[in-house]
Amino acid sequence: MKITWLLLRTQIINYLSINEILQSRNRKKSAVMMGIGMVAMVVFLFTYNVLTAQALVRMGEQDIIPAYMVATSSYAILFLTMLRANGILFGSRDMDLLLSLPIKPSQIVSSKFMFMYLLNFFIGFIFMAPGGIVWMGNAPQDYLLFLLYFVSIFFVPLIPMCIASFIGLLVVLASSRFKNRNLFSLLFSFAALGLIGYIGVSNMKSGIEIENLGAMLATQITGIYPLSKLFLSQTAFSQVAGPFAFIGLSVIVFYCFMKVISVKYSIFDALAKTSSRYIGNRKVKLKQQSPFLALYKKEFARFLSSYMAVLNTGLGVILLCVSSLLLIVMSPEKLGHYMNVKDMNGFLTNYAPIVIAAMISLSCPAASSLSLEGRNIWILQSSPVSVRKILDSKLAVNLTLHAVAYLLAVFALITRLRLNFLQILGLLFISIAYSIFTSVLGVVLNKKFPNYAWENEMVVVKQSLPVIAANTISMIAVALPVLLHLILSLPMIQTLWGMAIVLIIASTIMYQKACKLSFI
């Protein structure tokens, strides 16, 4: 057990870059800014869950709060763990070193699961603690039930973690049988995420025909996460037995899954890092190319070869492509029915540019492109190319990804909606302004706060300051014109055009300043 705790401590130190932060003044500033951003996000989620619980109380359904919080937190943990499970459990860069040490595979698996458990525990706590506080203030005083609810917070992440890890393992095993393993890993992962999302949306729409509000909410909650039914019991005995059964079942499933995984862990990890089962003997012809084109191809190949980068930073582009394809094959009214939007035609007519901007703003590979160079950054630093060309190549990759989804979305909207000339003009140029701003902001932040000493790609792809700050600022830029329209009743189109002009000016200033520096 001592070795397991030591491995866990090492993972936490590496994940948070604690040693680098203590030794670097620039890293200290980065850590402070990231801490402020994380605190703001936690406060927002706390407030949201408190308001949700209070809404249930006003509807007279306070007894559903425990099951609702268990279901929503478990669903969030399942979805988020699927984005990071393979980066932590399988295929991490430290596995070759760990497997060469006199350490049991079960100890390695335990430490990695405990690390993933800590990350997911905070997610569960943010969802369940505020809801529980509201529930305690509006439910009959039963201290045993209150105690069981808060104790169950520690066990909620276990089963969603096992399910997400099992799906990740299936992706590893299935994709290892194909020539292009990375491509099929991404396809299987996006298919699994899409299936989880579809199940969640379809279950939230179930039970609408039920007249009783409590029965309808119970049906939706248990549809999202069936085990939450253990918190919906009505009798005094089942109210106590349900949480006990939930805790016991969570422990048993988690223990059995860890034992099974630890037996063949080294094989699973090797499969996750296998590039291909086939070796090509083709002769490659060397071609002379411009520095920009060579850097662009290198950067694009680097991005596509990173499973974690494509899965996490390409999600917004994938969502926009899927939504556009659905709009092409079905009418806006039918799509609105599935998405629970009453006037989908009017909604898209007025908000199409901001919808496209919101989705492409979720995809910003440029925010981690420099950090992903890792310890090979010296190759770029010593290359006889200017900083401008290096930054241009990374911006071009980001804009290429946006362009694929953007062109498909524009085609779908123009062919399926009756837009006038000004609306088409706004659709074409406002989204481009957001795309340029997101890309430039990401690469500028990554240039200012790089991290080249990472051991796991997930650290720079999901948890680094440039990624968090770029996504947050981009979402604020998306939300600001909508809020000005709703609160101050400003005209939507004019507000969007004004915002687009501001973003283009800001992008130009940031880009020029970044290119003036003579080093990466």
Side-chain angles (χ1 to χ4, degrees):
M1 195 65 184
K2 183 179 179 181
I3 295 177
T4 302
W5 283 108
L6 184 61
L7 291 173
L8 175 62
R9 180 186 168 214
T10 304
Q11 286 186 85
I12 294 173
I13 291 173
N14 290 334
Y15 183 78
L16 299 176
S17 302
I18 293 176
N19 291 333
E20 290 83 354
I21 290 172
L22 294 176
Q23 296 175 3
S24 172
R25 180 179 298 179
N26 193 32
R27 286 291 182 85
K28 289 179 181 178
K29 294 180 181 178
S30 174
V32 170
M33 294 178 64
M34 185 181 296
I36 294 173
M38 294 300 293
V39 169
M41 186 179 297
V42 169
V43 170
F44 170 78
L45 291 175
F46 257 79
T47 305
Y48 172 80
N49 287 298
V50 167
L51 295 176
T52 302
Q54 288 177 343
L56 291 173
V57 171
R58 286 193 296 271
M59 290 187 291
E61 301 296 340
Q62 60 270 9
D63 293 337
I64 296 179
I65 291 177
Y68 178 86
M69 293 302 167
V70 169
T72 53
S73 60
S74 299
Y75 187 82
I77 290 170
L78 173 63
F79 194 87
L80 294 175
T81 305
M82 287 179 63
L83 295 175
R84 65 163 70 101
N86 283 356
I88 295 177
L89 291 179
F90 310 110
S92 57
R93 294 173 64 179
D94 60 348
M95 283 309 304
D96 292 334
L97 175 62
L98 292 175
L99 291 173
S100 66
L101 298 174
I103 302 174
K104 296 179 181 179
S106 59
Q107 293 172 325
I108 299 175
V109 176
S110 298
S111 67
K112 289 187 174 294
F113 258 104
M114 289 173 66
F115 176 64
M116 195 159 60
Y117 168 80
L118 288 177
L119 297 177
N120 290 323
F121 169 75
F122 288 113
I123 298 173
F125 182 82
I126 291 171
F127 276 87
M128 294 187 64
I133 293 172
V134 174
W135 175 56
M136 287 175 60
N138 294 274
Q141 297 298 313
D142 191 329
Y143 296 106
L144 179 58
L145 284 181
F146 297 158
L147 178 63
L148 287 174
Y149 174 81
F150 282 97
V151 169
S152 66
I153 296 177
F154 293 91
F155 298 90
V156 163
L158 298 182
I159 292 181
M161 279 171 50
C162 294
I163 296 173
S165 301
F166 179 69
I167 294 173
L169 179 60
L170 291 179
V171 169
V172 168
L173 294 176
S175 60
S176 65
R177 296 182 173 274
F178 293 92
K179 180 178 180 179
N180 195 331
R181 186 193 67 83
N182 197 52
L183 174 62
F184 282 94
S185 294
L186 292 169
L187 291 176
F188 292 145
S189 298
F190 281 123
L193 288 171
L195 179 62
I196 295 297
Y198 173 77
I199 292 173
V201 172
S202 60
N203 283 315
M204 285 303 294
K205 295 177 63 176
S206 63
I208 297 177
E209 68 282 355
I210 301 176
E211 295 183 0
N212 185 276
L213 179 61
M216 182 188 73
L217 291 174
T219 301
Q220 294 175 346
I221 291 168
T222 55
I224 294 175
Y225 191 60
L227 288 180
S228 62
K229 191 174 184 179
L230 295 172
F231 290 84
L232 286 173
S233 304
Q234 298 298 324
T235 63
F237 173 77
S238 57
Q239 283 181 341
V240 177
F244 271 116
F246 177 84
I247 292 171
L249 183 62
S250 299
V251 172
I252 292 171
V253 171
F254 182 71
Y255 177 80
C256 293
F257 185 77
M258 278 187 54
K259 286 297 182 182
V260 172
I261 289 294
S262 60
V263 173
K264 299 290 184 180
Y265 183 72
S266 58
I267 297 176
F268 296 148
D269 181 72
L271 288 174
K273 291 187 288 189
T274 302
S275 58
S276 175
R277 297 182 59 185
Y278 305 91
I279 299 176
N281 294 318
R282 295 181 303 170
K283 293 182 179 180
V284 180
K285 294 183 178 180
L286 298 178
K287 296 181 180 179
Q288 186 174 4
Q289 298 173 331
S290 66
F292 169 77
L293 188 58
L295 288 170
Y296 172 77
K297 288 185 175 181
K298 168 188 169 296
E299 182 65 22
F300 208 92
R302 174 69 182 84
F303 172 74
L304 294 178
S305 66
S306 173
Y307 169 82
M308 290 299 298
V310 177
L311 183 63
N312 288 276
T313 61
L315 190 58
V317 169
I318 295 294
L319 288 174
L320 184 56
C321 289
V322 172
S323 302
S324 302
L325 290 174
L326 290 175
L327 184 59
I328 292 173
V329 299
M330 64 176 64
S331 64
E333 292 77 13
K334 192 173 182 180
L335 182 61
H337 172 73
Y338 285 113
M339 300 183 68
N340 202 21
V341 178
K342 291 183 179 180
D343 185 15
M344 177 61 80
N345 203 326
F347 174 79
L348 290 178
T349 300
N350 294 321
Y351 295 97
I354 207 69
V355 170
I356 296 176
M359 290 191 180
I360 61 179
S361 296
L362 292 173
S363 294
C364 187
S368 58
S369 57
L370 283 170
S371 295
L372 282 175
E373 297 288 344
R375 295 183 177 89
N376 293 327
I377 188 62
W378 66 270
I379 299 176
L380 281 181
Q381 292 172 337
S382 59
S383 299
V385 290
S386 64
V387 172
R388 182 184 293 270
K389 281 192 174 62
I390 295 174
L391 297 182
D392 285 348
S393 66
K394 297 184 180 299
L395 288 172
V397 171
N398 206 137
L399 294 173
T400 301
L401 294 173
H402 287 182
V404 173
Y406 165 78
L407 293 174
L408 185 60
V410 168
F411 173 78
L413 290 167
I414 291 178
T415 55
R416 301 296 289 179
L417 301 178
R418 294 180 178 178
L419 303 175
N420 58 42
F421 177 74
L422 290 178
Q423 289 172 335
I424 294 176
L425 209 61
L427 180 66
L428 291 174
F429 292 103
I430 292 173
S431 303
I432 291 177
Y434 275 93
S435 175
I436 294 172
F437 175 75
T438 301
S439 304
V440 174
L441 177 66
V443 79
V444 168
L445 287 173
N446 197 198
K447 189 175 184 297
K448 186 171 181 61
F449 302 103
N451 178 13
Y452 304 125
W454 49 269
E455 294 294 334
N456 193 319
E457 285 184 348
M458 187 190 68
V459 174
V460 295
V461 171
K462 285 183 65 68
Q463 310 296 337
S464 63
L465 173 63
V467 172
I468 295 173
N471 288 335
T472 303
I473 296 173
S474 297
M475 287 297 102
I476 291 174
V478 169
L480 187 58
V482 178
L483 293 175
L484 291 175
H485 171 67
L486 296 176
I487 297 174
L488 301 179
S489 299
L490 297 179
M492 188 63 185
I493 297 298
Q494 288 85 337
T495 306
L496 285 175
W497 274 107
M499 192 67 189
I501 294 172
V502 171
L503 294 181
I504 289 295
I505 295 173
S507 302
T508 304
I509 295 172
M510 288 189 296
Y511 176 75
Q512 293 297 334
K513 286 187 176 181
C515 291
K516 285 180 181 178
L517 299 177
S518 58
F519 60 91
I520 287 292

